[in-house]
Each structure stands twice: as C-alpha cells, then as structure tokens.
Amino acid sequence: TVGLDPKQIIEIRDLMKSLRGEHTVILSTHILSEVQAACTTVLIINEGRIVATDNLEAMLQKESRSLEDIFLKLTTGSSAVGA
C-alpha cells in the first residue's frame, strides 16, 4: 500500500477482507501497522524459518507486547527501545 492514497488503501484493505473465508490472501510486508489493519493471522519468518504463527489478537494478548516488539524479539533477539 506504500504510494497509494488513503482512499486506495481503504479499498485494498476492504478487498482483502471481502475475500476472507473463501480465499487465502497472503500479504508479505515489513509494514507492521498494515498487518494490524488488514490481517487476522500472522506468520513471522526469520532467515527463511517460521518463528511464529498465530491469530493476531491471540499473539498480541499472549505476548503482552506490540507487534513491533514481538517481531524484533523473534528476529533480532531484542525489543524496541523503551519497551
């Protein structure tokens, strides 16, 4: 969605949501705010290996951290500054 105007971003998110249930939509991105806005399931890959997969809400509750902190912990072994 980088480079799209706000209306187009909403349209893309709505399209992905409309496909849920009947189709699988794979979104590959490093923009974690986009993941939170558009996804229900998250899969985190580090160096070609799956290091986490879960329902987004369950992952956030289980870890009691932001998605950014979870990503950093699983891919670099650290968390965001000030966390």
Side-chain angles (χ1 to χ4, degrees):
T1 55
V2 172
L4 298 179
D5 67 50
K7 184 176 187 263
Q8 292 170 321
I9 292 170
I10 292 167
E11 289 172 354
I12 292 293
R13 288 178 185 162
D14 287 346
L15 173 63
M16 287 190 292
K17 289 175 185 176
S18 74
L19 296 171
R20 287 182 186 162
E22 294 183 32
H23 302 279
T24 298
V25 177
I26 298 172
L27 172 66
S28 176
T29 184
H30 288 96
I31 304 169
L32 300 179
S33 60
E34 196 62 37
V35 171
Q36 289 188 267
C39 301
T40 56
T41 303
V42 176
L43 184 130
I44 298 174
I45 299 172
N46 185 43
E47 297 182 0
R49 295 181 182 204
I50 297 171
V51 294
T53 183
D54 205 342
N55 172 282
L56 175 60
E57 291 303 319
M59 183 182 286
L60 293 172
Q61 285 182 346
K62 194 182 316 178
E63 294 291 328
S64 298
R65 297 169 165 226
S66 70
L67 187 55
E68 181 180 77
D69 282 343
I70 295 167
F71 179 85
L72 290 172
K73 176 186 171 192
L74 294 171
T75 60
T76 64
S78 65
S79 60
V81 175

